[in-house]
Amino acid sequence: MQLTGAEIVIRCLHEEKVEYVFGYPGGSVLFIYDELFKQDKFKHVLVRHEQAAVHAADAYSRSSNKIGVCLVTSGPGVTNAVTGIATAHMDSIPMVIISGQVPTAYIGQDAFQECDTVGITRPCVKHNFLVKDVRDLAITLKKAFYIAKTGRPGPVLVDIPKDITNQKCEFEYPKSVTMRSYNPVVKGHSGQIKKAVQMLLEARRPMIYAGGGVILSDAADRLTKLARSLGYPVTNTLMGLGGYPATDKQSLGMLGMHGTYEANMAMQNCDVLIAVGARFDDRVIGNPAHFAEVSRKIIHIDVDPSSISKRVKVDVPIVGNLPDVLDELQKLLEASAGVPDPKSLAAWWKQIDEWRGKKSLKYKQGKEVIMPQYVVEKLYEVTGGDAFITSDVGQHQMWAAQYYKFDKPRRWINSGGLGTMGVGLPYAMGVRFANPKATVACVTGEGSIQMNIQELSTAKQFRLPIKIINLNNRYLGMVRQWQQMFHGNRYAESYVDALPDFVKLAEAYGHVGMKIERPADVEPALREAFTKHKNDLVFMDFLTDQTANVYPMVAAGKGLSEMILAEEL
């Protein structure tokens, strides 16, 4: 069967059971868009900016465990997409990005809308391809989907010159693919797993530290079973929230720069630590030298060998797919005659409960000014803790992570590694496409929301009933907090002056706008948005306390036990 390159692209996406392609047309991809028009196997979502296309595809993947797909044109189309690609790469999100390129004969000639896509994206993708022969197109796309999903997931880009999309060749889509240079490990080393079991059973002050890998590998149920069978405390990273039920008594909450006092103190003072799908990054353990001051044995399970002992030396490295490793670990634990020492474990929990007594997330809500923490708590109550919550980046992100208790995986969608402002709204769109009956709320700030606010148009076109929770403190809040604490209260360019009237702006796009200024109105407004306006996009502009800071806080360069608590200020 002779097909054009554009037809092959469409057929490959259909073979991969793609449901949605998020994109924006342009000259180099017009043959592909022409074939999109002719088919009805999957839908195209027209965004209003290429960055939003990648973010939406990213969130589609995060919330569904499917591979997000986006399609952009050459030159500015793909450079606009780079921020979204880097965001997905930092958080290990499986995606396939198809980009147009100038015709092969024009490559390197500074042609109109030409850029070195492979070179530009190489540092922020798992892999990328430039297709120079139409006969390589089908196998390349098959490889792209395979690489994106297996091992440590990540975005894969396929750059296709325009002439390739119009050339013809025989089409056959391979059922499987093998690559000699790419063979990710699945099963963990049995000897290392046995060592881990022995170490866990001998622990006196154990700790389970779970990261985003638990979510991405669908290992949350296995992690929960392991933790409950041992009776050990669990802490989750920002990316790992929902990997263990936040409302469970064994959960210590999030750890790290804005983690709870009990999580950070337990992490610092444990004698055996098992890290599951986490990478000991700077926002989690603070200063590695300070972390190393307390002697502990570390077990580290991760599918990516390069993540192990990268920042912290570990004692028992286990490379493998988390579900497989945790299954083997659980089986050996159940077969073992040993049990954790009950006396030592009880003493450890007593110490943890003393740390919990600090109530490090407490705050005061008065009658005059809305505290942002209060809005998130009420959002949790009104949604019953069962919504998909997307966030932008800043103070509002940390408050959402601290005060919305995630009991299920894939419900918390945010940019952890890159910290990308502007992701919240397109993330909410992607989540809703992946979960068409779900309740979706975007927690954002007046700075972040304006970075991709044009997507209110996309949301209108596709009738997406997202609820936007804008915690509006009239500042770039996290920047202001750091300027207050570390830069002598010099608020250089962190005040957002000349803000739009968000209610009118939402209405201009055809949505419902609400302005909330009094604490007494917070819960009624939320209930109205989620009931009376259940089928509408509602932009809720909460005017919050301008001086509110995120606590606890571990300052950059400090150790986990060197926390700044609100009560100390």
Side-chain angles (χ1 to χ4, degrees), residues 188-258:
H189 189 281
S190 58
Q192 294 294 87
I193 297 174
K194 287 177 183 177
K195 287 181 185 178
V197 169
Q198 183 179 355
M199 196 173 285
L200 285 169
L201 291 174
E202 292 174 352
R204 296 296 179 264
R205 302 186 310 278
M207 185 73 171
I208 298 173
Y209 154 51
V214 173
I215 308 292
L216 294 172
S217 64
D218 286 332
D221 288 345
R222 292 171 173 87
L223 175 75
T224 301
K225 183 178 180 181
L226 175 69
R228 288 177 175 166
S229 65
L230 289 167
Y232 290 174
V234 183
T235 184
N236 295 91
T237 66
L238 178 71
M239 297 306 301
L241 294 177
Y244 186 83
T247 57
D248 189 89
K249 62 182 180 180
Q250 288 174 233
S251 173
L252 306 191
M254 184 175 71
L255 82 163
M257 179 171 279
H258 294 295

Side-chain angles (χ1 to χ4, degrees), residues 55 86-87 161 245 258 267 280 302 356 420 484:
H55 289 328
T87 301
H258 294 295
M267 183 79 168
F280 294 92
D302 203 288
R356 274 177 168 161
T420 307
Q484 174 191 334

Side-chain angles (χ1 to χ4, degrees), residues 192-368:
Q192 294 294 87
I193 297 174
K194 287 177 183 177
K195 287 181 185 178
V197 169
Q198 183 179 355
M199 196 173 285
L200 285 169
L201 291 174
E202 292 174 352
R204 296 296 179 264
R205 302 186 310 278
M207 185 73 171
I208 298 173
Y209 154 51
V214 173
I215 308 292
L216 294 172
S217 64
D218 286 332
D221 288 345
R222 292 171 173 87
L223 175 75
T224 301
K225 183 178 180 181
L226 175 69
R228 288 177 175 166
S229 65
L230 289 167
Y232 290 174
V234 183
T235 184
N236 295 91
T237 66
L238 178 71
M239 297 306 301
L241 294 177
Y244 186 83
T247 57
D248 189 89
K249 62 182 180 180
Q250 288 174 233
S251 173
L252 306 191
M254 184 175 71
L255 82 163
M257 179 171 279
H258 294 295
T260 66
Y261 186 77
E262 55 268 27
N264 283 352
M265 292 299 288
M267 183 79 168
Q268 182 67 17
N269 292 285
C270 64
D271 70 340
V272 173
L273 175 67
I274 178 168
V276 186
R279 55 191 181 92
F280 294 92
D281 74 275
D282 59 302
R283 291 297 171 106
V284 165
I285 64 163
N287 187 337
H290 180 276
F291 186 68
E293 288 177 1
V294 177
S295 178
R296 65 179 71 75
K297 297 293 185 182
I298 300 177
I299 305 159
H300 192 177
I301 308 171
D302 203 288
V303 74
D304 180 9
S306 71
S307 290
I308 295 179
S309 289
K310 185 156 105 177
R311 299 195 75 241
V312 171
K313 189 178 185 303
V314 305
D315 300 279
V316 181
I318 304 173
V319 178
N321 189 39
L322 290 188
D324 294 275
V325 174
L326 291 176
D327 281 344
E328 181 68 16
L329 190 63
Q330 187 71 46
K331 185 169 70 173
L332 291 177
L333 273 171
E334 291 172 357
S336 171
V339 293
D341 179 57
K343 188 174 179 180
S344 297
L345 191 57
W348 180 228
W349 273 111
K350 182 180 179 182
Q351 174 62 78
I352 289 171
D353 287 338
E354 288 181 15
W355 289 327
R356 274 177 168 161
K358 281 275 191 182
K359 299 188 182 301
S360 59
L361 296 182
K362 64 186 176 186
Y363 67 95
K364 293 180 181 179
Q365 175 59 67
K367 295 182 178 180
E368 301 300 324

Side-chain angles (χ1 to χ4, degrees), residues 408-468:
K408 300 177 183 177
R410 299 189 183 275
R411 296 301 182 94
W412 168 234
I413 313 295
N414 78 117
S415 169
L418 199 64
T420 307
M421 293 175 69
V423 298
L425 178 52
Y427 270 3
M429 292 171 5
V431 169
R432 181 70 188 190
F433 280 113
N435 306 273
K437 295 183 179 179
T439 299
V440 183
C442 167
V443 178
T444 186
E446 77 291 336
S448 284
I449 190 63
Q450 293 189 82
M451 289 198 171
N452 268 312
I453 202 162
Q454 75 284 338
E455 297 310 312
L456 287 174
S457 178
T458 307
K460 181 63 178 178
Q461 179 180 344
F462 291 92
R463 296 180 174 84
L464 304 177
I466 297 158
K467 306 300 181 275
I468 298 174

Side-chain angles (χ1 to χ4, degrees), residues 32 123 181 195 212 242-243 372 407 421 451 487:
I32 298 176
S181 60
K195 287 181 185 178
D407 280 344
M421 293 175 69
M451 289 198 171
H487 297 277

Side-chain angles (χ1 to χ4, degrees), residues 110-126:
D110 293 332
F112 177 67
Q113 291 194 333
E114 179 191 2
C115 73
D116 179 7
T117 299
V118 168
I120 288 171
T121 62
R122 184 175 287 118
C124 60
V125 293
K126 186 176 179 182

Side-chain angles (χ1 to χ4, degrees), residues 140-155:
T140 300
L141 284 166
K142 182 68 177 181
K143 288 178 179 179
F145 278 88
Y146 174 69
I147 293 170
K149 186 70 174 174
T150 54
R152 179 177 179 174

